[in-house]
Amino acid sequence: MFEALSSKLNGVFDRLRRRGALSEADVQEALREVRVALLEADVALPVVKDLTAKVRERAVGAEVLKSVSPAQQVIKIVNDALVEALGGGEADTGARGIDLNAPAPVPLLMVGLQGSGKTTTSGKIALRLKNRDKKKVLLASLDVHRPAAQLQLETLAKQVGVASLPIVAGQTPLQIAGRAMDLARRELFDVVVLDTAGRLAIDEALMAEVAEVKAFAQPHETLLVVDAMTGQDAVNTARAFQDKVGVTGIVMTRIDGDARGGAALSMRAVTGAPIKLLGAGEKLDALEDFHPDRIAGRILG
Ligand code: GDP
């Protein structure tokens, strides 16, 4: 992810560095190129405008232009603006993992479109909570529309080495969620991962079902899984889920592909929700914490 954006921005900054002393016009020209690179990477227009306005405001000041290494200063200002766009404001820098700070069993609700990587991510999260956080995890699939989905989660649970809720045919998502929480209370599970049904596209029935499950299960976290490869659509999907269901965090998958990365840069501004985790491959250990500063470093690296 970010390869094209990264190489374009590096081209802009290399030219800036070679100039030595910079005039305001040099910086304005560089900013125009940054703007084009961001738009080509599919970053949402309001986010591009906001980001370049911030950089312009901070970078055309006499202090920067008169400094010993003006290009380096401009790059630092762009870096800081990227970190902010990625959600790394002063109040919330650093890794943002899953918040488990609630009485056990802590319910986590996984939501998202079909094919986004929701079920795989449920397995990845279970593996991480089991190995790293030493939690006793129960996986439960609430997907009553595709019977194969429940079997897929059961198979994943076996691979991960955690429990999955026994499959009972003919139950509603609410009945399954209720059964999962009952079992978790009885058998002292720490965390219950509730994997909801997805659809190929946003539709009212999906949103209504997910909202109903959420109201019933009162999850501590509602994690939306989106596919980075879908670009602007990922952002639109996130906006819809945020409006209709409410999410506490976003997991962006397939960052191992050649996604242009605009979705990652737009997500916080458009939805208000933080990206918490990244899916970086099909393997169950391919789950990364989201560090805005490291991602900005990757873009400018
Ligand atoms: P769901 O329909 O949202 O539950 O999606 P699945 O979890 O079944 O995932 C769909 C496909 O995407 C599967 O083949 C997964 O192995 C694959 N997948 C999930 N996450 C990632 C990821 O981060 N990177 C890559 N390359 N593939 C992924």
Side-chain angles (χ1 to χ4, degrees), residues 113-120 124 152 253-254 256 279-282:
L113 294 182
Q114 195 174 308
S116 60
K118 196 161 41 59
T119 303
T120 309
K124 289 177 177 179
Q152 186 191 347
T253 62
R254 293 209 184 82
D256 49 311
E282 296 195 53

Side-chain angles (χ1 to χ4, degrees), residues 111-124 143 146 149 152-153 156 195-200 225-229 251-257 278-283 286-287:
V111 304
L113 294 182
Q114 195 174 308
S116 60
K118 196 161 41 59
T119 303
T120 309
T121 303
S122 301
K124 289 177 177 179
D143 191 342
R146 287 190 316 134
Q152 186 191 347
L153 195 68
L156 264 177
D195 186 16
T196 61
R199 297 274 198 286
L200 290 173
V225 181
V226 293
D227 178 354
M229 299 293 287
V251 184
M252 189 165 276
T253 62
R254 293 209 184 82
I255 67 146
D256 49 311
L278 298 172
E282 296 195 53
K283 294 217 181 97
L287 186 70

